[in-house]
């Protein structure tokens, strides 16, 4: 299974050479076997990619992320056909029962709030706030009609990043969060496509112009992983540096616990997504979610 995460910042051109990526920079060539690559991040808006390389990357289901001049991921390259039973899976996806989706919404929000409380706990934050989040977790109703997700998020972010923190402000904390979430979102999207489903047909995210509604459903329980890194590594910095971007990408190369076992993040996403799909399509109670603490390989 592919496992390497490649971050490319300095290059003039990327081409296909046999089954490798040829990275060309200052008349020097570097060859990277495509079969070894899980995520490819291209963080140089002046670089060019060849069409044969793009096709080979999609054939191998490499999660390819293209960043803009601000270093933030702008595009994902995903294959049109990711699975032999794609048509059948998409039909099932379209016909997902609305009541089951509402119950799944409830479970995902509960899991997200639980992981947020766990992050506060490992960072020695207020026990009163932690207890309140656990209370919100238990109060989440079907389809989260009382918006316990929003109430928990407000308390969680203020406790973790301070009372002055405002989500989506233009500051280094939000830059780190947005970047880390984008990397996880791209990996999740590539796995959804590889399983023969559409990232844009979601469970409770339903944005008409959002091509990644299902990805945004799945990512919720993984967001606290990014939050934990940003809190512990970026709070004192002023600029969003290359070392931050590389470290956020490398979060996906670690292990995480799910179903009582430590799995790579990539495998954990597969297991987590599979539990969601089985519950939506069979009504069996098989949902499980990963804990938010990462371990080195």
């Amino acid at each position: 299974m592919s496992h390497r995460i490649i971050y490319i910042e300095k290059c003039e051109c990327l081409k296909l050479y046999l089954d490798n990526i040829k990275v060309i920079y200052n008349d020097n060539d570097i060859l990277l076997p495509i079969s070894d690559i899980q995520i490819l991040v291209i963080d140089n808006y002046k670089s060019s990619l060849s069409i044969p390389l793009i096709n080979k990357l999609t054939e191998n289901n490499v999660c390819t992320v293209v960043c803009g001049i601000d270093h933030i991921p702008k595009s994902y390259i995903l294959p049109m056909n990711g699975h032999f039973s794609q048509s059948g899976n998409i039909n099932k996806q379209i016909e997902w029962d609305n009541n089951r989706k509402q119950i799944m919404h409830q479970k995902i929000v509960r899991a997200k709030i639980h992981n947020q409380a766990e992050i506060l706990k490992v960072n020695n934050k207020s026990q009163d706030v932690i207890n309140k989040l656990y209370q919100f977790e238990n109060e989440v109703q079907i389809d989260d009609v009382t918006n316990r997700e929003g109430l928990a998020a407000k308390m969680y972010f203020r406790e973790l990043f301070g009372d002055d923190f405002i989500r989506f402000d233009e500051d280094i904390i939000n830059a780190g969060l947005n970047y880390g979430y984008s990397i996880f979102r791209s990996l999740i999207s590539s796995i959804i496509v590889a399983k023969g489903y559409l990232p844009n047909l979601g469970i409770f995210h339903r944005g008409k112009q959002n091509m990644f509604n299902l990805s945004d459903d799945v990512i919720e329980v993984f967001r606290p992983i990014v939050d934990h890194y940003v809190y512990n590594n970026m709070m004192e910095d002023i600029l969003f540096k290359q070392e931050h971007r590389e470290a956020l990408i490398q979060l996906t190369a670690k292990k995480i616990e799910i179903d009582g076992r430590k799995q790579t993040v990539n495998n954990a996403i597969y297991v987590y997504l599979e539990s969601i799909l089985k519950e939506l399509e069979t009504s069996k109670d098989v949902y499980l979610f990963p804990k938010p603490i990462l371990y080195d390989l």
Side-chain angles (χ1 to χ4, degrees), residues 189-253:
S189 298
S190 70
I191 292 173
I192 290 172
V193 171
K195 291 184 70 65
Y197 291 81
L198 292 178
N200 48 320
L201 292 180
I203 299 167
F204 56 94
H205 285 93
R206 303 183 182 91
K208 292 183 178 180
Q209 296 182 358
N210 183 7
M211 295 296 293
F212 302 98
N213 286 307
L214 182 57
S215 307
D216 290 340
D217 295 328
V218 175
I219 196 179
E220 296 292 7
V221 301
F222 294 93
R223 291 183 189 272
I225 296 171
V226 177
D227 306 339
H228 181 63
Y229 171 84
V230 172
Y231 173 75
N232 284 279
N233 297 276
M234 296 178 61
M235 294 293 287
E236 303 301 322
D237 289 320
I238 299 175
L239 298 176
F240 188 34
K241 305 173 185 175
Q242 178 182 339
E243 63 189 66
H244 296 141
R245 296 192 292 273
E246 292 182 1
L248 285 163
I249 294 168
Q250 289 300 323
L251 294 180
T252 60

Side-chain angles (χ1 to χ4, degrees), residues 161 165 167 169 171-178 230 234-235:
F161 297 122
F165 174 77
R167 184 72 180 103
D169 265 6
D171 55 35
I172 185 171
I173 295 175
N174 278 288
L177 296 178
N178 293 339
V230 172
M234 296 178 61
M235 294 293 287

Side-chain angles (χ1 to χ4, degrees), residues 1 7 13 32 38 52 66 72 90 105 116 118 122 142 151 158 163 168 193 206 223 232 234 259:
M1 180 178 290
Y7 175 84
C13 182
L32 303 169
Q38 172 183 315
V66 181
I72 299 298
I90 292 173
H105 183 188
Q116 289 174 331
E118 291 295 303
V122 299
I142 292 178
L151 295 173
R158 286 186 175 179
D163 291 339
F168 302 114
V193 171
R206 303 183 182 91
R223 291 183 189 272
N232 284 279
M234 296 178 61
D259 197 21

Side-chain angles (χ1 to χ4, degrees), residues 27-62:
D27 296 325
N28 294 316
D29 296 349
I30 299 174
L31 295 181
L32 303 169
I34 292 175
S35 60
D36 291 346
I37 300 174
Q38 172 183 315
I39 299 177
L40 172 66
V41 179
I42 304 168
D43 191 2
N44 185 334
Y45 76 102
K46 293 183 179 180
S47 299
S48 62
L49 283 74
S50 71
I51 296 300
L53 174 60
I54 292 173
N55 287 332
K56 182 61 70 172
L57 291 170
T58 58
E59 286 174 14
N60 285 267
N61 199 41
V62 175

Side-chain angles (χ1 to χ4, degrees), residues 67-199:
C67 300
I69 191 172
D70 56 359
H71 305 289
I72 299 298
K74 300 295 184 183
S75 304
Y76 309 140
I77 300 176
L78 299 171
M80 291 290 291
N81 297 299
H83 194 272
F84 66 90
S85 59
Q86 185 179 51
S87 295
N89 287 344
I90 292 173
N91 285 331
K92 289 189 292 184
Q93 188 176 0
I94 293 171
E95 295 172 358
W96 283 343
D97 179 75
N98 190 57
N99 185 58
R100 291 182 191 172
K101 288 196 292 184
Q102 291 178 340
I103 294 172
M104 181 54 60
H105 183 188
Q106 177 190 35
K107 292 185 177 184
I108 290 175
V109 170
R110 282 179 173 173
K112 177 184 180 181
I113 295 174
H114 180 87
N115 281 354
Q116 289 174 331
E118 291 295 303
I119 290 301
L120 294 183
K121 186 187 297 184
V122 299
N123 287 292
N124 299 312
K125 294 298 181 177
S126 168
Q127 190 60 49
D128 289 340
V129 175
I130 294 169
N131 291 340
K132 193 65 177 178
L133 259 63
Y134 285 134
Q135 177 186 327
F136 286 153
E137 176 189 354
N138 293 326
E139 292 174 348
V140 177
Q141 298 180 22
I142 292 178
D143 208 26
D144 191 24
V145 293
T146 57
N147 192 30
R148 285 300 183 263
E149 179 182 17
L151 295 173
K154 185 176 181 179
M155 292 188 68
Y156 166 74
F157 280 119
R158 286 186 175 179
E159 180 63 22
L160 191 62
F161 297 122
D163 291 339
D164 294 333
F165 174 77
I166 300 176
R167 184 72 180 103
F168 302 114
D169 265 6
E170 294 185 3
D171 55 35
I172 185 171
I173 295 175
N174 278 288
L177 296 178
N178 293 339
Y179 192 92
Y181 295 161
S182 293
I183 296 300
F184 271 85
R185 190 194 203 203
S186 63
L187 178 57
I188 289 167
S189 298
S190 70
I191 292 173
I192 290 172
V193 171
K195 291 184 70 65
Y197 291 81
L198 292 178

